[in-house]
Amino acid sequence: TFTAVSQEDPDCAMAYWGLAATAIGSLYGGRPGPMTIQGEIAVEKAKAIGGKTSRERDYIATIELFYKGADKIDYATRVHAYANALERLHRKYPDDREAEIFYAYALSALGPPTDQTFAYQLKGAAILEKLLVELPNHPGAMHYLLHAYDNTTYASRGLVTARRLGKVAP
């Protein structure tokens, strides 16, 4: 879809932001090589076009932090930088639910595999649970909530959401 938008409107910086965002894949594991290169290229195109609003430019700057130094900086460090940037984006635009959802997802991906308290996942899940009261059929919020609960300890918390997601986005 983002490719189609970029072809329909080559001056749409957010189409390239979307290509960069999807090139990340899952924040829970890296996609080395071609996907990282595709993301970097998309960020550069988005920056060259420039967003039409300060909010669009802020979204582009945020995704850029994930790719910055990808050839030298380890994946976990880049996810932390991206999560911190998403938090700033969310704080700058507190009414932007998408920024809040992306922040919660990135936050839930910060927990190292050795952390059996699942502190980051639970913090991200709390944000998403609150948002799902306001936006009960938001497929992205539901999807990311399932990621936050994707562990043996808390998997049962995601069952109702998993069933609902199957109806909302079959």
Side-chain angles (χ1 to χ4, degrees):
T1 300
F2 290 119
T3 299
V5 171
S6 71
Q7 291 167 350
E8 178 80 22
D9 182 0
D11 293 326
C12 178
M14 291 308 286
Y16 295 101
W17 167 87
L19 289 169
T22 56
I24 292 173
S26 172
L27 289 175
Y28 290 96
R31 281 191 179 179
M35 295 305 289
T36 299
I37 293 166
Q38 286 177 344
E40 291 171 330
I41 291 168
V43 166
E44 290 308 313
K45 285 182 180 178
K47 285 174 43 184
I49 294 167
K52 291 180 175 80
T53 67
S54 61
R55 185 169 150 232
E56 287 183 5
R57 290 186 292 277
D58 289 341
Y59 264 88
I60 294 164
T62 296
I63 196 77
E64 180 183 21
L65 285 176
F66 175 81
Y67 289 103
K68 193 171 189 167
D71 58 336
K72 298 176 194 92
I73 301 170
D74 69 272
Y75 188 81
T77 301
R78 291 186 297 119
V79 172
H80 272 272
Y82 182 50
N84 289 338
L86 284 166
E87 180 180 21
R88 289 189 299 275
L89 185 71
H90 163 55
R91 294 202 187 290
K92 186 171 182 179
Y93 304 100
D95 295 331
D96 182 343
R97 296 298 170 245
E98 300 306 315
E100 191 171 10
I101 290 167
F102 291 137
Y103 166 58
Y105 170 51
L107 185 63
S108 72
L110 293 180
T114 55
D115 177 15
Q116 295 302 298
T117 68
F118 302 104
Y120 285 108
Q121 292 90 332
L122 292 174
K123 187 173 179 184
I127 294 167
L128 293 166
E129 292 275 9
K130 176 188 68 96
L131 283 167
L132 283 170
V133 170
E134 180 183 337
L135 306 167
N137 294 321
H138 192 295
M142 286 188 259
H143 179 116
Y144 296 150
L145 181 62
L146 295 179
H147 279 294
Y149 289 146
D150 191 11
N151 58 71
T152 305
T153 305
Y154 294 104
S156 63
R157 289 188 183 184
L159 288 175
V160 170
T161 301
R163 290 184 185 111
R164 198 166 81 229
L165 180 58
K167 292 175 183 162
V168 170

